[in-house]
């Protein structure tokens, strides 16, 4: 058991998900056939032996709580510790700039006060990864660090916008935290901060107390300002797949699951990703089904053609329909002879026969929840 | 107060030796069924759906995998603070105690468990049947008839009636005669081996049965006939629905395969009467670019690169490239490697078939067990092996 508790900021929203995050925070967006994005952060913490996890929720938290229940599927329905809901302060969804807004912690200070553990592991809730934090916690302890920032070496800045990069000295101590805007274009491989960190609980309490008078300030801003006086180190990881901010991100991260090496990192190792169990029956294929290079969850009935796609639980694909490069979320019903290409269908969408839904790789077509076409 | 109206006892101790390699390592109720389920899921889910929260599971044969599967019963919502699932193995006391010797003896040895909850009614279930039944309807029938013992019955085809325990009933559904495997059946009502007793009646019957040294201590053979002789009020509750005893390789195979038919009678898809199971959390199944799947059931965690036709793939199965699977049942975590061909086979859990194997090839003119090949759990079939249809392949030990 690790000497840490967890906090997941599951309250970040996005306007660039074209409606996928309209009625839910990014953390609650379904992903990978049977998961929600939050599952990856939650399971990683649980698999690291963290059994007390606080979840900062946004205003629209129904989908999150529907998914989580008492946390039983993550073994978090416990006497000692367990899952704690930390209601976020802002009405509506917080902006992208405040990943770790201090005010959210200030209003839930008791969660931090009443535990006795040494450290707090903090993660954002909009990333796809499977990390065992044990290694970083060991590192944090060995270095007697105040804060350990988790980073990934990355050489492709293409789709990284306002993300942060670290400058490290030979002892892995962080000498500078800067964002992309300050970078000259052709750069060598740089440690890229992946929005996960370990911080001493006492220090975090101090910070929250000292900055309580300032409205909303991000924890990372505070750490950057106090870089000189704090012992801040960087610990590497290799098992992140990526952040989800835009529809393009969502499509890319989803489709990357079709590659074996990504699935190996994410799903096929020792540490499982846990999720809400539905007890669906196995998926049924009829004689007309034609499926290739696709991920298909349980409880589906498949009579159509599926190629390079991800099909969620309980989807019905009728004979003659054609699904290509698409993501079909749970309980969708595609009638005979309908076609989709580069489309993302949110839950419970009905597509009647002969409809053709077509998006493109860079601009996939998103169909809102419960739409009937 | 711990008293319950009704306690269910699930008989899960039998070896199920007629299932060959499938039950060599585990008790029959823990055998995988229809992909993601195990046989015991049906009885346990029936209890949950009937609001019967106190279930005693009598175990004896190779119990470890069954016990770990059942756990606290939370997968079936049976982890209830006042009752819940109880695993009941044979035990020793000061002077008494022995292995369970027959179904009635097993229940007799656990009379303290039943007394602890002091129920009015006791339901005796068999852990190796596949069916959906609301026990409350039966209990209601039991009360309405003011019955002391109620047997669940099902109509079987007349020509097969001589294979079952056959009941003769009067106009009010009261049982007048019970004959085990009659040569000339005068009814086609067969006993399903599922009983409701008034606890007071059952207790008395078990004590009498235990004192009878001639008795085989079996519900069907001894208890029920004895109670009929004593003119107890024994009624038949006729069940209309899907029910299968999956006690033999052939019946197991056909019961599985029936689920591939459209409009399947058991309808495991029916959300109003769900069958729960304690599944492993696995990612969605992946179908490779060359994968072809036709008329099959595929579970989570499978990886399919080959061709699968008329088959059932349980969770975590791997089907390699250029593999052909037809009319087969692959149990959890089976691996079939490159260019192997598997026809009409049941491949046991975690078994591995190396590349270039042929399983279920035509051999004898009349093969055993309808030509169904069975490969034992955890077995590894070496590269290039040829296995004839109808063979039972066991692991060396």
């Amino acid at each position: 058991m690790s000497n840490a508790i967890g906090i997941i900021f599951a309250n970040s929203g996005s306007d660039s998900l074209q409606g996928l995050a309209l009625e839910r925070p990014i953390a609650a967006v379904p992903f990978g056939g049977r998961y929600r994005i939050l599952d990856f952060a939650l399971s990683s913490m649980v698999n690291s032996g963290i059994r007390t996890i606080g979840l900062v929720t946004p205003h629209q938290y129904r989908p999150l709580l529907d998914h989580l229940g008492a946390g039983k599927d993550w073994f978090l329905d416990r006497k000692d510790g367990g899952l704690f809901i930390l209601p976020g302060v802002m009405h509506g969804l917080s902006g992208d700039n405040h990943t770790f807004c201090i005010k959210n912690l200030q209003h839930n200070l008791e969660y931090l006060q009443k535990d006795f553990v040494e450290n707090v592991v903090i993660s954002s809730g909009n990333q796809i990864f499977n990390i065992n934090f044990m290694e970083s916690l060991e590192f944090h302890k060995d270095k007697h660090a105040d804060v350990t920032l988790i980073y990934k070496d990355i050489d492709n800045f293409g789709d990284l916008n306002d993300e942060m990069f670290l400058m490290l000295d030979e002892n892995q101590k962080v000498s500078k935290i800067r964002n992309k805007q300050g970078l000259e274009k052709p750069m060598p491989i740089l440690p890229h901060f992946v929005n996960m960190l370990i911080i001493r609980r006492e220090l975090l309490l101090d910070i929250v107390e000292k900055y309580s008078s300032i409205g909303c300030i991000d924890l990372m801003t505070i750490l950057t300002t106090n870089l000189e006086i704090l012992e801040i180190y960087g610990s590497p990881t290799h098992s992140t797949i990526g952040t989800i901010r835009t529809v393009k991100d969502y499509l890319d991260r989803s489709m990357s699951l079709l590659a074996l090496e990504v699935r190996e990192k994410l799903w096929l190792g020792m540490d499982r990703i846990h999720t809400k169990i539905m007890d669906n029956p196995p998926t049924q294929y009829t004689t007309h089904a034609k499926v290739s290079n696709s991920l298909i969850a349980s409880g589906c009935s498949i009579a159509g053609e599926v190629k390079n796609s991800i099909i969620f639980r309980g989807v019905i694909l009728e004979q003659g329909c054609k699904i290509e490069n698409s993501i079909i979320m749970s309980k969708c019903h595609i009638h005979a002879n309908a076609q989709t290409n580069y489309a993302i269908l949110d839950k419970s969408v009905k597509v009647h026969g002969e409809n053709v839904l077509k998006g493109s790789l860079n601009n996939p077509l998103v169909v809102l929840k419960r739409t009937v076409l | 107060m711990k008293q319950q109206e009704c306690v269910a006892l699930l008989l899960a101790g039998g070896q199920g030796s007629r299932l060959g390699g499938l039950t060599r390592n585990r008790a029959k109720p823990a055998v995988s069924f229809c992909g993601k389920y195990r046989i015991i899921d049906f009885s346990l889910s029936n209890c949950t759906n009937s609001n019967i929260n106190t279930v005693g599971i009598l175990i004896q044969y190779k119990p470890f995998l069954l016990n770990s599967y059942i756990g606290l019963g939370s997968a079936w919502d049976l982890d209830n603070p006042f009752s819940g699932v109880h695993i009941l193995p044979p035990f020793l006391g000061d002077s008494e105690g022995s292995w369970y010797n027959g179904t009635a003896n097993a229940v007799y040895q656990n009379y303290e468990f039943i007394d602890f909850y002091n129920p009015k009614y006791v339901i005796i279930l068999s852990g190796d049947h596949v069916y959906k039944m609301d026990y409350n309807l039966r209990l209601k029938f039991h009360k309405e008839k003011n019955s002391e013992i109620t047997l669940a019955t099902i109509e079987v085809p007349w020509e097969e009636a001589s294979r079952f325990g056959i009941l003769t009933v009067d106009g009010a559904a009261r049982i007048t005669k019970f004959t085990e495997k009659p040569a000339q059946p005068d009814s086609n009502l067969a006993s399903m081996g599922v009983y409701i007793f008034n606890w007071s009646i059952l207790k008395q019957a078990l004590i009498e049965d235990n004192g009878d040294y001639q008795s085989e201590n079996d519900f069907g053979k001894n208890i029920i006939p004895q109670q009929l002789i004593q003119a107890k009020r024994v009624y038949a509750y006729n069940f209309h629905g899907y029910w299968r005893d999956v006690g033999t390789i052939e019946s197991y195979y056909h019961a599985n395969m029936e689920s591939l038919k459209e409009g399947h009678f058991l309808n495991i898809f029916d959300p109003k009467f769900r069958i729960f199971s304690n599944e492993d959390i696995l990612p969605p199944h992946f179908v490779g670019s060359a994968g072809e799947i036709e008329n099959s059931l595929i579970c989570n965690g499978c990886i399919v690169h080959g061709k699968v036709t008329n088959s059932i793939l349980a969770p975590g199965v791997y089907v390699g490239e250029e593999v052909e699977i037809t009319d087969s049942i692959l149990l959890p975590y089976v691996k079939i490697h490159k260019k192997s061909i598997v026809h009409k086979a049941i491949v046991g859990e975690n078994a591995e078939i190396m590349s270039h194997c042929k399983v279920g090839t035509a051999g004898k003119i009349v093969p055993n067990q309808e030509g169904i090949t069975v490969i034992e759990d955890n077995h590894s079939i070496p590269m290039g092996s040829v296995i004839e249809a109808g063979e039972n392949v066991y692991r060396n030990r």
Side-chain angles (χ1 to χ4, degrees):
Chain A
M1 198 90 351
S2 66
N3 190 16
I5 59 175
I7 295 178
I8 299 172
F9 282 78
N11 59 338
S12 59
S14 170
D15 298 333
S16 350
L17 271 167
Q18 286 188 17
L20 290 179
L22 193 65
E23 290 182 346
R24 44 167 103 94
I26 300 180
V29 172
F31 183 84
R34 66 178 306 189
Y35 306 94
R36 292 194 191 236
I37 292 171
L38 171 73
D39 289 343
F40 296 90
L42 208 50
S43 303
S44 289
M45 284 194 183
V46 169
N47 292 336
S48 312
I50 299 171
R51 289 291 186 273
T52 304
I53 299 176
L55 200 70
V56 180
T57 58
H59 176 51
Q60 290 155 318
Y61 54 79
R62 192 209 60 83
L64 269 184
L65 296 198
D66 179 335
H67 184 65
L68 292 167
K72 188 172 176 175
D73 292 325
W74 297 262
F75 327 116
L76 290 172
D77 54 337
R78 307 180 74 80
K79 257 186 188 173
D80 185 13
L83 181 69
F84 291 83
I85 302 297
L86 313 178
V89 282
M90 302 223 290
H91 291 286
L93 301 168
S94 75
D96 276 353
N97 319 341
H98 296 294
T99 314
F100 303 132
C101 178
I102 285 295
K103 200 142 205 182
N104 285 325
L105 296 179
Q106 194 192 329
H107 282 242
N108 294 292
L109 209 55
E110 254 193 81
Y111 171 72
L112 286 169
Q113 281 168 339
K114 73 179 175 191
D115 220 301
F116 305 105
V117 295
E118 193 71 28
N119 298 309
V120 184
V121 179
I122 299 181
S123 168
S124 70
N126 59 349
Q127 291 189 82
I128 309 301
F129 61 94
N130 187 351
I131 292 178
N132 199 314
F133 291 108
M134 288 298 244
E135 230 171 87
S136 298
L137 279 164
E138 282 294 310
F139 173 94
H140 182 77
K141 204 173 138 200
D142 288 349
K143 295 281 184 193
H144 300 285
D146 288 323
V147 179
T148 297
L149 303 176
I150 299 175
Y151 70 87
K152 187 183 180 183
D153 284 328
I154 194 162
D155 55 356
N156 169 23
F157 304 110
D159 53 346
L160 306 170
N161 288 321
D162 39 77
E163 309 208 0
M164 274 174 278
F165 295 89
L166 311 178
M167 301 285 188
L168 300 169
D169 71 8
E170 62 280 6
N171 286 323
Q172 295 287 100
K173 192 162 188 294
V174 177
S175 56
K176 213 167 196 182
I177 302 174
R178 56 194 300 185
N179 59 17
K180 193 192 175 192
Q181 273 89 27
L183 286 177
E184 294 304 316
K185 245 203 176 167
M187 286 294 281
I189 291 172
L190 261 190
H192 155 231
F193 175 57
V194 292
N195 280 333
M196 289 171 222
L197 60 99
I198 301 167
I199 183 166
R200 283 195 305 109
R201 187 176 58 92
E202 300 285 346
L203 174 65
L204 184 59
L205 279 170
D206 271 358
I207 289 177
V208 174
E209 208 174 299
K210 292 220 174 78
Y211 285 84
S212 62
S213 53
I214 306 176
C216 199
I217 183 164
D218 193 287
L219 178 61
M220 288 313 294
T221 316
I222 298 167
L223 293 182
T224 311
T225 351
N226 295 299
L227 198 57
E228 304 294 314
I229 50 169
L230 293 172
E231 296 284 316
I232 302 183
Y233 286 84
S235 165
T237 180
H238 308 286
S239 356
T240 62
I241 307 303
T243 310
I244 290 177
R245 288 202 175 83
T246 63
V247 166
K248 175 84 170 80
D249 286 347
Y250 182 79
L251 186 73
D252 287 350
R253 310 291 180 237
S254 294
M255 290 308 172
S256 72
L257 295 173
L258 297 176
L260 182 63
E261 62 270 20
V262 174
R263 292 207 310 279
E264 263 171 356
K265 260 186 203 168
L266 205 56
W267 283 339
L268 308 176
M270 283 282 283
D271 291 334
R272 302 268 178 91
I273 300 297
H274 310 283
T275 190
K276 185 180 179 182
I277 302 173
M278 300 282 201
D279 276 84
N280 276 318
T283 283
Q284 226 177 359
Y285 286 76
T286 72
T287 36
H288 306 285
K290 217 176 150 197
V291 177
S292 72
N293 196 35
S294 297
L295 277 170
I296 300 187
S298 58
C300 299
S301 168
I302 296 181
E305 214 175 296
V306 183
K307 207 173 158 188
N308 307 333
S309 296
I310 295 172
I311 311 290
F312 282 66
R313 296 187 267 202
V315 168
I316 301 171
L317 303 179
E318 286 186 11
Q319 196 179 329
C321 75
K322 219 172 162 183
I323 311 294
E324 259 182 274
N325 309 309
S326 296
I327 296 167
I328 313 288
M329 292 193 198
S330 54
K331 301 208 174 85
C332 282
H333 188 153
I334 317 285
H335 288 261
N337 301 325
Q339 290 185 22
T340 71
N341 198 350
Y342 289 112
I344 300 172
L345 273 55
D346 207 330
K347 290 166 123 187
S348 306
V349 168
K350 274 197 176 62
V351 180
H352 284 288
E354 318 296 341
N355 270 311
V356 178
L357 304 177
K358 218 167 172 185
S360 69
L361 178 62
N362 289 317
N363 197 6
L365 177 73
V366 176
V367 182
L368 294 186
K369 201 170 165 179
R370 277 191 281 275
T371 309
V372 178
L373 292 168
Chain B
M1 190 62 210
K2 290 198 182 71
Q3 193 180 356
Q4 301 280 327
E5 190 194 25
C6 184
V7 165
L9 283 176
L10 197 71
L11 305 171
Q15 181 180 354
S17 55
R18 288 173 301 162
L19 279 177
L22 301 179
T23 49
R24 264 205 154 180
N25 309 293
R26 66 189 71 230
K28 185 156 73 166
V31 170
S32 164
F33 182 81
C34 220
K36 73 169 276 186
Y37 304 100
R38 292 185 188 273
I39 294 169
I40 199 170
D41 285 339
F42 292 87
S43 298
L44 288 179
S45 300
N46 285 341
C47 287
T48 306
N49 287 318
S50 312
N51 277 326
I52 293 172
N53 295 318
T54 314
V55 184
I57 302 176
L58 301 157
I59 55 155
Q60 174 157 287
Y61 173 80
K62 295 253 179 182
F64 167 66
L65 289 170
L66 182 60
N67 290 356
S68 68
Y69 183 69
I70 295 166
L72 300 170
S74 45
W76 301 269
D77 279 348
L78 289 170
D79 53 341
N80 186 315
F82 303 110
S83 46
V85 164
H86 301 261
I87 304 270
L88 304 171
F91 56 89
L92 288 178
D94 289 344
S95 55
E96 78 286 1
S98 69
W99 294 109
Y100 294 150
N101 178 27
T103 50
N105 178 258
V107 177
Y108 171 75
Q109 291 203 36
N110 284 291
Y111 76 88
E112 281 179 349
F113 162 76
I114 308 174
D115 262 347
F116 180 75
Y117 287 109
N118 194 21
K120 245 177 149 160
Y121 309 104
V122 176
I123 296 193
I124 309 281
L125 305 168
S126 172
D128 46 17
H129 293 166
V130 174
Y131 62 112
K132 277 184 176 181
M133 185 195 275
D134 186 344
Y135 299 138
N136 277 327
L137 295 178
R138 256 179 75 201
L139 200 56
K140 197 168 152 235
F141 173 90
H142 183 85
K143 290 176 197 165
E144 273 170 12
K145 294 284 178 188
N146 198 16
S147 172
E148 289 169 320
I149 304 170
T150 302
L151 276 66
T153 59
I154 189 155
E155 287 172 26
V156 294
W158 279 95
E159 58 274 19
E160 285 180 31
S162 52
R163 282 177 39 213
F164 294 89
I166 292 298
L167 304 159
T168 314
V169 296
D170 66 11
R174 186 163 174 176
I175 297 171
T176 53
K177 200 171 115 193
F178 176 87
T179 2
E180 189 74 32
K181 298 181 181 150
Q184 294 290 321
D186 49 8
S187 148
N188 67 339
L189 278 186
S191 167
M192 289 168 59
V194 181
Y195 317 102
I196 295 181
F197 284 91
N198 286 354
W199 172 223
S200 53
I201 300 287
L202 176 63
K203 199 171 178 179
Q204 186 58 35
L206 289 171
I207 291 168
E208 284 169 17
D209 179 66
N210 194 55
D212 177 2
Y213 293 102
Q214 304 279 309
S215 170
E216 289 176 52
N217 306 113
D218 188 88
F219 273 98
K221 284 183 196 148
N222 308 103
I223 301 272
I224 302 296
Q226 197 57 39
Q227 296 303 302
L228 280 169
I229 291 169
Q230 294 181 14
K232 293 274 163 49
R233 296 175 59 83
V234 185
Y235 282 84
Y237 173 78
N238 205 9
F239 176 65
H240 301 279
Y242 177 94
W243 173 78
R244 290 287 181 275
D245 181 343
V246 287
T248 63
I249 294 286
E250 293 91 333
S251 63
Y252 173 82
Y253 179 81
H254 292 303
N256 270 282
M257 283 303 171
E258 272 172 338
S259 63
L260 290 178
K261 286 184 196 149
E262 231 160 286
H264 178 45
F265 208 22
L266 176 64
N267 202 358
I268 42 180
F269 289 79
D270 181 7
K272 284 188 207 121
F273 199 106
R274 283 163 68 183
I275 300 299
F276 303 98
S277 75
N278 189 0
E279 58 178 313
D280 283 352
I281 303 293
L282 295 171
H285 68 266
F286 178 73
V287 186
S289 311
E292 272 181 64
I293 303 173
E294 230 179 73
N295 193 33
S296 297
L297 287 180
I298 315 283
C299 290
N300 282 330
C302 289
I303 296 175
V304 181
H305 291 297
K307 196 174 169 189
V308 178
T309 319
N310 301 331
S311 298
I312 297 172
L313 269 56
V317 168
Y318 173 82
V319 175
E321 284 155 30
E322 295 170 67
V323 167
E324 278 179 43
I325 314 278
T326 44
D327 303 333
S328 295
I329 302 163
L330 309 188
L331 302 190
Y333 300 104
V334 163
K335 286 193 177 68
I336 315 276
H337 293 285
K338 223 174 171 179
K339 293 194 175 172
S340 283
I341 295 173
V342 178
H343 175 69
K344 205 172 183 183
I346 304 170
V347 185
E349 293 188 31
N350 302 309
E352 199 164 0
I353 296 179
M354 295 305 174
S355 59
H356 303 271
C357 287
K358 284 195 173 111
V359 176
T361 55
K364 283 178 233 154
I365 298 166
V366 185
N368 299 329
Q369 52 196 27
E370 301 178 13
I372 302 162
T373 313
V374 182
I375 294 170
E376 194 191 334
D377 292 352
N378 306 318
H379 197 17
S380 177
I381 307 282
M383 199 171 128
S385 305
V386 176
I387 295 167
E388 261 181 35
E391 256 187 79
N392 283 306
V393 186
Y394 294 108
R395 243 178 333 140
N396 295 328
R397 58 191 80 202

